[in-house]
Amino acid sequence: MSVEVVKCPSCKQKLAIFPYVAVGGLVVCANRNCGANIRLVSRKPLRVELVPEEETYTVDYRPESYG
């Protein structure tokens, strides 16, 4: 399984993106001081964008908070 590496737009930490993360999928920065929500925009070239916290307050993005 090949892993791609990208930097967090907020804190610049390197993050590993696995092949099973689909384009448009959300990941969270692994840096516990950052915790930014990041959306995978494209694979070739690998690009990500920062997602505002307010956009993640839906049932689809945080199902555990609507239990």
Side-chain angles (χ1 to χ4, degrees):
M1 180 180 290
S2 63
V3 176
E4 297 173 287
V5 177
V6 67
K7 286 187 178 182
C8 172
S10 181
C11 70
K12 308 301 184 213
Q13 177 172 325
K14 290 182 183 178
L15 304 172
I17 305 293
F18 290 91
Y20 57 78
V21 178
V23 172
L26 282 180
V27 295
V28 177
C29 180
N31 183 349
R32 67 181 139 142
N33 293 327
C34 177
N37 295 293
I38 303 164
R39 179 179 292 126
L40 182 62
V41 177
S42 69
R43 282 277 179 191
K44 296 188 182 196
L46 187 62
R47 290 188 319 129
V48 293
E49 68 180 6
L50 202 56
V51 177
E53 185 80 22
E54 296 79 30
E55 284 186 31
T56 66
Y57 293 150
T58 65
V59 175
D60 295 330
Y61 288 122
R62 294 181 184 244
E64 69 278 359
S65 63
Y66 291 88

